């Protein structure tokens, strides 16, 4: 076994099944990082509550959907640790301790908070304001040095670094300063050419059937200035060609289509039919694996259970170090010995 020096932590909020944007931008990257790094993949279910606290039951279904997608994409529970945030109470405990090291005004200035408040149309909860503190706890609890994320998450990683520095200088050196690891992949557009997003109605999901996928591809945005198949079309920034580059290994065919498209010698419909076929072909093995996993919820729960228990050993250790470094040691003798719990107890989703 090769020595994996850098520890990685990253995660998703279980907001629904994963789509092609997650696959291309994120999951493929995570899968390859498993070879070289010790990876922790977090299901951040508490973070979902920061906006969707009114219907927590759906988080449970979504969690299993996300796990099935992750596994189908190649996340390997033998090599990586899959953690359910709500099952490891140390995430919340550390978040409380870290929240003392950040000012309220600093949190009000986090750009993701400002955007969410605009979109929400509700009074933001205290939990939404402290979202990045919980995220810092997620990362620091495992002393992760690298955090693979999209650009939108950079303000949260920056805040995690500030909190780590503040803790280290106040109480004693304990946390490494985590670094963001940005994916080099360009973002995959949704079928309407906006960013692909679960709630925009523009996503192709990993769990979609071939028919659904074809239907979505046939309704895809292309070159808005092209009215007739004989009009010269634009290839740059055209979702059809962005998708082909991603999912069709036949470079020659793509080049030929590009040339004909630019010359007005092939219609959108022909390219869409070709893309739908190639996309379905490329996703077929993943979808077969996914169907197998989603049919075995007990297996998915077991993976979460084992991963969370393994994570908890480390989390417990870190929390002990945190309390010790801070000098809050009186209660440490009361900590229970082991984090093992019975999966049949109903505590698991
Ligand atoms: N905030 C992240 C997102 O919405 C999810 C997340 C929660 C996360 N905790 C994390 C990502 C820790 C990286 C590290 O995508």
């Amino acid at each position: 076994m090769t020595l994996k020096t850098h520890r990685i932590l990253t995660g998703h909020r279980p907001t629904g099944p994963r789509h092609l944007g997650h696959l291309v931008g994120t999951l493929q990257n995570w899968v390859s990082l498993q070879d070289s790094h010790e990876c922790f993949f977090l299901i951040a279910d508490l973070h979902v509550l920061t906006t969707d606290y009114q219907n927590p039951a759906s988080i449970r279904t979504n969690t299993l959907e996300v796990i099935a997608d992750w596994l189908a994409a190649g996340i390997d529970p033998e090599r990586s640790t899959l953690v359910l945030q709500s099952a490891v109470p140390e995430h919340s405990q550390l978040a409380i301790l870290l929240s003392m090291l950040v000012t309220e005004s600093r949190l009000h200035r986090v750009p993701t908070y400002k955007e969410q408040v605009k979109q929400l149309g509700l009074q933001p909860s205290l939990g939404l304001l402290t979202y990045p503190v919980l995220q810092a706890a997620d990362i620091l609890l495992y002393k992760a040095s690298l955090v693979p994320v999209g650009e939108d998450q950079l303000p949260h990683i920056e805040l995690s670094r500030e909190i780590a520095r503040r803790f280290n200088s106040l109480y004693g050196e304990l946390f490494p300063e985590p670094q963001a690891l940005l994916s080099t992949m360009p973002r995959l557009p949704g079928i309407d050419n906006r960013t692909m997003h679960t709630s925009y109605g523009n996503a192709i999901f990993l769990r979609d059937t071939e028919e659904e996928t074809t239907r979505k591809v046939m309704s895809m945005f292309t070159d808005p200035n092209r009215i007739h198949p004989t009009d010269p079309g634009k290839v740059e920034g055209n979702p059809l060609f962005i998708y082909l580059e991603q999912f069709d290994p036949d470079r020659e065919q793509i080049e030929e289509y590009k040339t004909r498209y630019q010359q007005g010698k092939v219609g959108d419909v022909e390219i869409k039919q070709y893309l739908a076929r190639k996309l379905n072909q490329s996703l077929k093995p993943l979808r077969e694996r996914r169907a197998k996993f989603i049919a075995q919820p007990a297996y998915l729960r077991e993976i979460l259970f084992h991963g969370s228990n393994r994570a908890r050993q480390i989390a417990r250790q870190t929390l002990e170090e945190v309390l010790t470094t801070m000098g809050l040691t009186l209660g440490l003798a009361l900590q229970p010995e082991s984090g093992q719990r019975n999966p049949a107890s109903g505590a698991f989703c």
Side-chain angles (χ1 to χ4, degrees), residues 2-6 32-39 79:
T2 50
L3 193 62
K4 298 180 176 178
T5 44
H6 287 286
S32 61
L33 286 167
Q34 295 180 117
D35 296 331
S36 45
H37 295 77
E38 186 189 2
C39 294
R79 288 188 293 158

Side-chain angles (χ1 to χ4, degrees), residues 141-205:
L141 197 52
Y142 302 96
K143 298 184 183 170
S145 52
L146 287 175
V147 189
V149 281
E151 223 163 323
D152 60 311
Q153 293 294 310
L154 288 181
H156 295 169
I157 309 305
E158 189 46 47
L159 191 83
S160 305
R161 294 167 62 85
E162 285 174 32
I163 292 178
R165 278 199 295 273
R166 183 107 180 96
F167 185 98
N168 291 345
S169 74
L170 262 180
Y171 305 123
E173 205 57 40
L174 182 61
F175 295 121
E177 270 182 51
Q179 271 190 9
L181 190 65
L182 282 179
S183 157
T184 51
M185 277 299 186
R187 267 173 186 257
L188 198 69
I191 61 174
D192 59 359
N193 207 26
R194 293 188 295 166
T195 305
M196 193 180 280
H197 200 286
T198 310
S199 63
Y200 290 177
N202 68 355
I204 299 178
F205 295 99

Side-chain angles (χ1 to χ4, degrees), residues 22 43 70 75 84 100 102 108 144 147 153 190 195 203 214 222 229 242 250 252 261 305 319 327 340:
H22 294 123
I43 299 278
W70 283 6
I75 298 295
L84 180 64
M100 316 300 167
V102 198
H108 274 107
V147 189
Q153 293 294 310
T195 305
T214 304
T222 61
I242 297 176
D250 189 346
E252 260 174 55
Y261 199 83
F305 176 75
L319 196 71
Q340 289 286 334

Side-chain angles (χ1 to χ4, degrees), residues 212-221 268-274 276:
E212 280 164 331
T213 305
T214 304
R215 192 174 46 72
K216 289 180 180 177
V217 169
M218 295 313 288
S219 72
M220 220 155 139
F221 176 101
D268 280 8
V269 173
E270 181 179 333
I271 309 254
K272 284 178 173 177
Q273 284 166 341
Y274 176 78

Side-chain angles (χ1 to χ4, degrees), residues 9-13 42 44 47 85 131 135 138-139 147-149 152-153 156-157:
L9 181 132
T10 186
H12 278 166
R13 283 171 302 141
L42 178 74
H47 274 119
Q85 194 182 31
Y131 183 118
Q135 185 162 347
D138 297 339
I139 298 166
V147 189
V149 281
D152 60 311
Q153 293 294 310
H156 295 169
I157 309 305

